[in-house]
Amino acid sequence: MIIQPKVRGFICTNAHPQGCAANVREQIDYIKAQSPIEGGPKNVLVVGASTGYGLASRIAAAFGSGANTLGVFFEKPPTEKRTASAGYYNAAAFEEEAHKAGLYAKSINGDAFSDEVKAQAIEMIKQDMGKVDLVVYSLASPRRKDPKTGELHSSVLKPIGKSYTARNLNTDKLEISDITLEPANEEEIAATVKVMGGEDWELWLDALGEAGVLTDDCKTVAYTYIGEQLTWPIYGHATIGKAKEDLDRAAKEITASGKADAHVAVLKALVTQSSSAIPVMPLYISLVYKVMKEEGTHEGCIEQLYRLYTEGLYTDSPRLDNDNRYRVDDKELRPETQAKIEKLWPEVTEENLFELTDYKGYQADFLKLFGFGVDGIDYEADTSPVVKADFE
């Protein structure tokens, strides 16, 4: 079939296998061009390993530190008539490249929130790796089924206490208008914390610790975004903010338990399948791209993760904030960078969108998430959507 992007709202409903594979190889090439990660991990479990920061975590560990990796994700496989999800193609390409390099790499395609997948991962670690010395928690899901009660919880993106009105870019129509988000009620706040907070991260570390598959010096990290003044109403005093507070709580609990040295890592704003769905973020990220590219400070997922490993996880002097979080968003939050973004924010209109922002770069990165717009790929060629992958 001819595979062209099918975009609906903030999601692309198909993916290109060759484009996704090229994206993975590009990130691998970046890591191989850097200095090896000194003292880096050897056996790594990545929960949420198929896209964005989770995928970059796995690539950096494998090709920057020679690590064995086990990835967990929930992705849609292909059929003869329908493409797989981008994460499926990403993971298949990663495994192929890792095996070519002589690296151990296996994956579980299933519900990471479930007890069954946790048990399956533990058995694979016991059989193939012995113990893991790094657990990366990078799940991004709008809903979670509680494995104990069976109840399905859904997250919401809402402010707390009062409504919030801000400028928003409708990426379908390229219209800029005010959007008003009504405040969340207590049930919605609790459900969002259930989905996006630290409970499942703790459950993973509890299960791994009880099974005896964590090394004595094991590290674990979960990812978050905080932002600054422009994004604070949706990321700070909001349902997501409450979930992020719970991640900090979980990090303290995991560390106190002695199972692993746990930290939350704060990463920069980028186009991901998750951030595309959050009001305000498409416009804000377009401005971040514009300003940071002009400053020469722009980074993608793979650059961020290499810095997290070398300037956070595996260094004697990690960049930590007062809440013991690794900070890799330092370049985005430089006062001069934020001042430029804040100055441009009210000036952007539909007429000058492409002049004052890097929406073109935002759009290109969005399509690239799904394997489209990648140099060297013939998108007019007849392409089979079927890619065989040996996932568990």
Side-chain angles (χ1 to χ4, degrees), residues 1-74:
M1 66 174 69
I2 307 299
I3 304 175
Q4 298 285 349
K6 297 177 182 177
V7 179
R8 185 190 306 148
F10 53 80
I11 195 71
C12 186
T13 60
N14 63 347
H16 198 287
Q18 295 172 8
C20 289
N23 285 338
V24 169
R25 289 193 296 270
E26 182 182 302
Q27 293 184 67
I28 290 171
D29 289 344
Y30 173 83
I31 292 296
K32 289 166 72 172
Q34 310 308 307
S35 299
I37 299 167
E38 193 172 337
K42 295 307 172 192
N43 292 309
V44 182
L45 169 65
V46 183
V47 183
S50 54
T51 62
Y53 282 125
L55 174 64
S57 303
R58 195 176 189 190
I59 290 170
F63 291 91
S65 189
N68 304 313
T69 62
L70 174 60
V72 180
F73 45 78
F74 195 33

Side-chain angles (χ1 to χ4, degrees), residues 244-282:
K244 293 175 187 307
E245 289 174 15
D246 195 63
L247 273 182
D248 291 331
R249 176 204 58 76
K252 294 184 179 76
E253 294 285 344
I254 293 167
T255 300
S257 75
K259 295 183 179 73
D261 180 27
H263 291 269
V264 173
V266 187
L267 305 175
K268 79 175 287 254
L270 284 173
V271 182
T272 65
Q273 292 185 34
S274 300
S275 67
S276 301
I278 300 173
V280 179
M281 291 308 289

Side-chain angles (χ1 to χ4, degrees), residues 209-226:
E210 288 165 11
V213 295
L214 300 175
T215 62
D216 292 339
D217 60 349
C218 183
K219 300 174 184 286
T220 184
V221 63
Y223 299 145
T224 193
Y225 176 76
I226 292 177

Side-chain angles (χ1 to χ4, degrees), residues 220-239:
T220 184
V221 63
Y223 299 145
T224 193
Y225 176 76
I226 292 177
E228 258 292 350
Q229 184 176 336
L230 287 172
T231 58
W232 182 248
I234 195 64
Y235 269 101
H237 192 60
T239 52

Side-chain angles (χ1 to χ4, degrees), residues 61-63 65-69 94-95 97-105:
F63 291 91
S65 189
N68 304 313
T69 62
F94 169 82
E95 283 201 8
E97 294 299 323
H99 295 158
K100 281 182 190 174
L103 297 168
Y104 171 90

